[in-house]
Amino acid sequence: MKEKNIVFLGAGSIAEAFVKGLIHHDVVTPHRVAMKNHSNHAHLHYLHETYGTSFVEGDQTFQQADIIVLAMKPKDVDCLADIAHLLQPHTMIISILAGVTFEGIEKYVGTRPIARLMPNTSAMLGLSASGAAFNKVVSQEEREQLLTFFRTVGTVEIVDEAHMHAITAIAGSGPAYFYYFVECLEQAGVALGLDAKKGRELIIQSMKGAAAMLEATGEEPSVLRENITSPNGTTFEALEVFRQAQLAQIIQQATEANANRSKTFSELYR
C-alpha cells in the first residue's frame, strides 16, 4: 500500500480522518495522497501543511492513481464521467457515498474493483464502526489491501451490498442517535436540579462503562440490563416508562426510515 497513489475526490472530515489514519498507521506515504475539493481550497492547503498531502494537478494525477476515493456528496457522483477515460484498468474505487450502488458507479467507470464503505464520524478518533461491501471483481489480495485501508479509522464488518442500507441506519448514523440520547438525558438531569456540566460528565462515563462492559463480558445486553434492574426498583420504573412509550418500536421505525432514505438514494443515483 505504501507505494500506491491515492486520490480523494472530496476533502471533508471523513476524508481527513482517512488521511490521518493512513499516515498514522504508516500505510501510505503522504506525498502519494492527492486531494481534490471544489468548495474549500483553503482546506486543501491545511491538509497539505498538516499531513503532507499533495494536490490534484491535471490528468496525470488520475492516470497514475491506484485508488480513487469517492468522498464527495452523492449528488456529485457524475463527476466520474469526466475522469473515467483517464483511469488505468487496475485502478480501484472506494466509495463512502451513502446509497450510491456498485451499479451507479460502474455506469461511469466500467467493471473494475470497487468497494463501498459506510464509516461514521468517530473515524476522526480512529474509532469508527464501518460496514464494507466488495463487488465481484475484487480479488482476495485487493480485498486485504482495502481492509488495511479501512481499518486505519476503526473496525470493519464485511456485508453484502444489499445490507449497506442497514449499515447506514445502524452504524453510519448510530453516533447521532447516541448524541441525541445524551442531549435528552442531560436535559432530564437539569430538570431534576443537576448541574449540566456534572451531568454530562456522568453520562459520558456511564456510556463508556456500559460499552466496556458489553465488550469485556460478551454478555447479551438484555442480561446486563437485567443485572442492574431490581423488581420495582428505580431502574425498573424508568425502563417501564420506556416500554409504555414503545421505545423499541420507535427505534425500529427510526432505523427503517433511515434505511428507506438510503434506498431512495440508491434509486436516484442508479
Side-chain angles (χ1 to χ4, degrees):
M1 286 289 289
K2 292 199 72 169
E3 300 306 313
K4 291 190 179 297
N5 295 314
I6 302 171
V7 178
F8 281 82
L9 297 181
S13 59
I14 295 296
E16 181 178 353
F18 272 107
V19 170
K20 180 180 178 181
L22 288 165
I23 294 171
H24 174 75
H25 290 280
D26 199 28
V27 173
V28 301
T29 305
H31 75 271
R32 289 186 176 271
V33 179
M35 313 290 290
K36 183 178 179 64
N37 189 5
H38 287 301
S39 61
N40 192 342
H41 295 290
H43 192 61
L44 291 179
H45 286 278
Y46 159 79
L47 294 170
H48 170 69
E49 293 169 2
T50 304
Y51 303 105
T53 57
S54 61
F55 304 96
V56 172
E57 297 177 351
D59 293 352
Q60 185 177 11
T61 302
F62 295 107
Q63 291 168 341
Q64 296 177 345
D66 297 297
I67 298 174
I68 302 288
V69 183
L70 308 184
M72 62 287 199
K73 294 179 180 179
K75 67 180 181 63
D76 295 326
V77 68
D78 59 359
C79 76
L80 289 176
D82 298 327
I83 65 168
H85 67 287
L86 301 172
L87 305 183
Q88 300 299 319
H90 73 273
T91 304
M92 296 185 285
I93 305 291
I94 296 173
S95 171
I96 57 175
L97 308 181
V100 181
T101 63
F102 290 138
E103 180 183 355
I105 297 169
E106 288 170 348
K107 77 176 183 180
Y108 295 109
V109 299
T111 302
R112 64 175 62 248
I114 303 174
R116 290 183 59 192
L117 184 75
M118 177 50 60
N120 61 41
T121 54
S122 299
M124 288 299 293
L125 300 178
L127 295 173
S128 177
S130 306
F134 303 94
N135 72 352
K136 294 180 179 180
V137 299
V138 175
S139 68
Q140 186 60 39
E141 180 182 0
E142 290 166 337
R143 177 179 292 220
E144 292 304 317
Q145 291 175 348
L146 291 169
L147 286 173
T148 297
F149 187 110
F150 300 158
R151 287 171 179 146
T152 62
V153 296
T155 63
V156 185
E157 294 293 337
I158 301 173
V159 299
D160 294 331
E161 185 182 25
H163 294 143
M164 289 299 286
H165 302 301
I167 294 294
T168 301
I170 300 300
S173 299
Y177 310 153
F178 299 137
Y179 297 147
Y180 184 56
F181 185 77
V182 170
E183 285 182 65
C184 295
L185 198 56
E186 186 177 303
Q187 291 167 7
V190 170
L192 291 171
L194 188 63
D195 175 77
K197 182 179 178 181
K198 291 181 179 179
R200 179 172 296 185
E201 290 174 352
L202 289 166
I203 294 166
I204 291 172
Q205 186 58 39
S206 294
M207 292 181 71
K208 284 182 179 179
M213 284 288 288
L214 279 166
E215 186 172 43
T217 65
E219 290 280 12
E220 291 294 320
S222 59
V223 171
L224 295 176
R225 170 177 54 78
E226 291 166 0
N227 287 345
I228 57 174
T229 307
S230 301
N232 298 316
T234 55
T235 306
F236 177 90
E237 288 298 317
L239 292 174
E240 191 61 25
V241 173
F242 289 155
R243 293 190 189 96
Q244 290 176 7
Q246 297 186 318
L247 180 61
Q249 289 88 332
I250 291 171
I251 292 172
Q252 182 73 32
Q253 291 169 5
T255 52
E256 286 180 355
N258 186 310
N260 287 336
R261 185 59 173 167
S262 178
K263 292 175 184 177
T264 299
F265 287 152
S266 293
E267 293 301 320
L268 186 61
Y269 303 118
R270 185 178 296 278

